[in-house]
Amino acid sequence: MTDPSDNTAHQHIPAPDESAIPELEADETIAPRPEEEIADVLRATPDVEDHSEHPA
């Protein structure tokens, strides 16, 4: 029986014909939240602006 509070990553050793990177998320039945889609769009353009604080 699995513990629902156990959120640690489990080591998975792929088979010889299996990709080391999983193709599907753990639960594909949960739709992405709108803010995740917005964040993806905003990350598509690099932010090259200087965000450091400069003394006056």
Side-chain angles (χ1 to χ4, degrees):
M1 186 158 132
T2 60
D3 181 5
S5 65
D6 179 19
N7 60 1
T8 58
H10 298 283
Q11 182 65 28
H12 172 73
I13 300 173
D17 61 338
E18 183 181 11
S19 172
I21 302 171
E23 294 183 20
L24 298 176
E25 293 183 13
D27 188 349
E28 289 288 319
T29 61
I30 300 173
R33 299 187 322 234
E35 60 269 22
E36 291 174 345
E37 293 179 8
I38 293 167
D40 288 342
V41 170
L42 293 175
R43 281 192 295 262
T45 305
D47 182 7
V48 295
E49 201 172 316
D50 182 8
H51 294 283
S52 60
E53 294 183 22
H54 300 285

